Amino acid sequence: MSKSLGNIIPAKEFLDKYGEDITRFYIGSYHYREPIDINEESINQAKENYRYMKATIKTIVN
């Protein structure tokens, strides 16, 4: 990975694009020794999983 090749995403840019909650959920879903492969498909899946989790918690609490 190299900044000059353009295949990295700065943390600030990722946060601005996806928000804090999705970023935490996405990064937290990986094992700490596992490399994180950032791609749109896995981010979209994390978004759906996060929304599902929040809806489930909301249903349980209410």
Side-chain angles (χ1 to χ4, degrees):
M1 295 194 67
S2 169
K3 188 175 180 180
S4 63
L5 293 176
N7 60 358
I8 66 165
I9 300 172
K12 178 73 172 146
E13 184 180 317
F14 192 90
L15 279 168
D16 290 342
K17 187 173 182 179
Y18 299 108
E20 296 174 357
D21 293 334
I22 299 298
T23 301
R24 282 190 203 107
F25 188 80
Y26 184 69
I27 292 172
S29 66
Y30 283 90
H31 188 270
Y32 73 98
R33 288 187 179 176
E34 202 176 298
I36 299 176
D37 182 26
I38 298 174
N39 58 55
E40 288 296 322
E41 184 180 330
S42 64
I43 293 169
N44 289 334
Q45 184 64 46
K47 284 181 187 179
E48 290 301 315
N49 292 344
Y50 181 75
R51 288 186 188 120
Y52 179 77
M53 181 189 67
K54 288 210 36 150
T56 302
I57 291 171
K58 186 175 182 180
T59 301
I60 291 170
V61 171
N62 291 334

